[in-house]
Structure formats: structure tokens, C-alpha cells
Amino acid sequence: MSGHNKWSSIKHKKGAADAKRGKIFSKLIKEITLAARVGGGDPNGNASLRTILDKARAANMPKDNVERAIKKGTGELEGFALEEVTFEGYGPAGVAVMVETLTDNRNRTVAELRHIFEKSGGNLGAAGCVGWIFSKHGVLTFDKAVGEETLMNTVLEAGAEDIKDEEDTFTVMTDPASFETVKAACDKSGLKYIEASLSLIPQNTVKLDHSGAEKMLKLMDTLEDHDDVQNVYANFDIDAKIMEELA
């Protein structure tokens, strides 16, 4: 599996630990605030906000928190200045890494991310150094209980590009423009997805041995734990046997 699906699978199996729930909420608040600022506070007319609100519901985020975040974005409540910044770098064994952040202090964030990369044996790179490896796609992940034929008929008719069998799950790929249409078709058909988001998918992958895999997964975990980091994407590949030992 690619880095995206492999890492998503690990996170799903781990579950949302109670100790980190507050951190998850703080990241979602930033995303909701920015989406509302850019596209308005009505999710019916703001696809980005609608997608983030789905994530908030899946994380059991309190309704009051969601409403305050939207009002901060629309200016009804005093908020804080946020900037979207994407960083690129290399992890162990030259794995390409993309880090999407929302920050109120770019200099602080870049210094902290550089330290995290260097500590892992990697390095933070210049803009464009690995971005060419990734392309944006809609990704929807389903438990296999939904049934392959039913899923295939629904999503392909709605405009999906591909369906992949990923061991315990099915992964549906769409182009960014078709993502909301495919997601809506699944909702209408009662096909419940584990995760649905616009993601950066690598064109190629780097196979990691046990040592490299352990270092890479630690780097991913440390990056995602940073307050300013919203999403992390990488092009690593790890054998199922090694993954079972490390998960």
C-alpha cells in the first residue's frame, strides 16, 4: 500500500486516543475557521467546510465548538490570523514527505519542523523538492462489509476513477472535481465510509526495511502530533509482516 493508505490504516486501528482528542479538536477548529473565512459559513455553499464538518462529526466534536469556529471564520467572533503553509522534505531512506500546516507564526513552525525532520534522520527541503511526486485525489475508504459490487456500481456511476482492494478495506479514488459527487452518491446509497478526504497521493513509493519503517512511522507520528500540522503525506511502502510487528 502507498504511504497514505498505510498510515491511514494504522491511525484507524489505533483509534482516537482520549489523551489526544483535545489536540484533534484544536486542529479541526483551525480547519473549520479557515474554511469559513475563505468560503463562508454555510456548508451548503462551501464544499471545503462541508467536508471538514464531516470529519468533526466523525471525531464527536461538540456542536458548540463547531459553531464558535465557524463564527470566528466569518468574523462574528474575534478569531486569530492563520496562514496555510505546505512544507516538503525527506524522511528516512529518502522517503518524500509533504506536511500541510495552519500556523499563526511561520518562522516558529518551520524551525520546529526542521528539528523534527533532523531528529528522525531526514531533512526539511526547499519548496518543490518532492511536491512533483504527489497529485491531489479524492480518497474514500470503506470497510469490506459494504460489498464490492454494490460499492463499485455506486461510485463508478458517480464518476470515481478507481477502486482498490487494500487488505481490510476498499479505497475509492476520484479526481478532486468529482469527490463531492461521489461522496454524496455514497451517502444517498447508505454506503458508510471510514474516511473521506482530498489527499495527496504519491506516483511512486520507497520500500522500507524494519529499521527504516520504525523510524518513518515515528516521524509520521511526531509530525501529526505537532499543533500546527493538519495533514502529512509520504511515499513509503512497508511489507505487511513488518507492519504487523510495528503496529
Side-chain angles (χ1 to χ4, degrees), residues 33-44:
T33 300
L34 186 68
R37 182 180 302 161
V38 172
D42 180 7
N44 293 318

Side-chain angles (χ1 to χ4, degrees), residues 109-123:
T109 302
V110 69
E112 292 174 353
L113 292 185
R114 181 174 288 112
H115 175 71
I116 291 171
F117 270 93
E118 290 175 353
K119 194 174 179 182
S120 76
N123 63 279

Side-chain angles (χ1 to χ4, degrees), residues 218-238:
K218 185 175 181 181
L219 171 60
M220 294 289 286
D221 207 27
T222 304
L223 286 170
E224 289 220 336
D225 205 38
H226 190 282
D227 287 340
D228 295 339
V229 172
Q230 299 300 118
N231 297 295
V232 185
Y233 306 100
N235 72 334
F236 63 84
D237 186 34
I238 302 172

Side-chain angles (χ1 to χ4, degrees), residues 131-135 201-205 235:
W132 59 273
I133 295 173
F134 298 83
S135 56
I201 305 299
Q203 300 171 24
N204 54 59
T205 57
N235 72 334

Side-chain angles (χ1 to χ4, degrees), residues 24-36:
I24 292 169
F25 288 170
S26 69
K27 290 174 184 282
L28 285 169
I29 285 169
K30 285 184 178 182
E31 285 192 79
I32 292 168
T33 300
L34 186 68

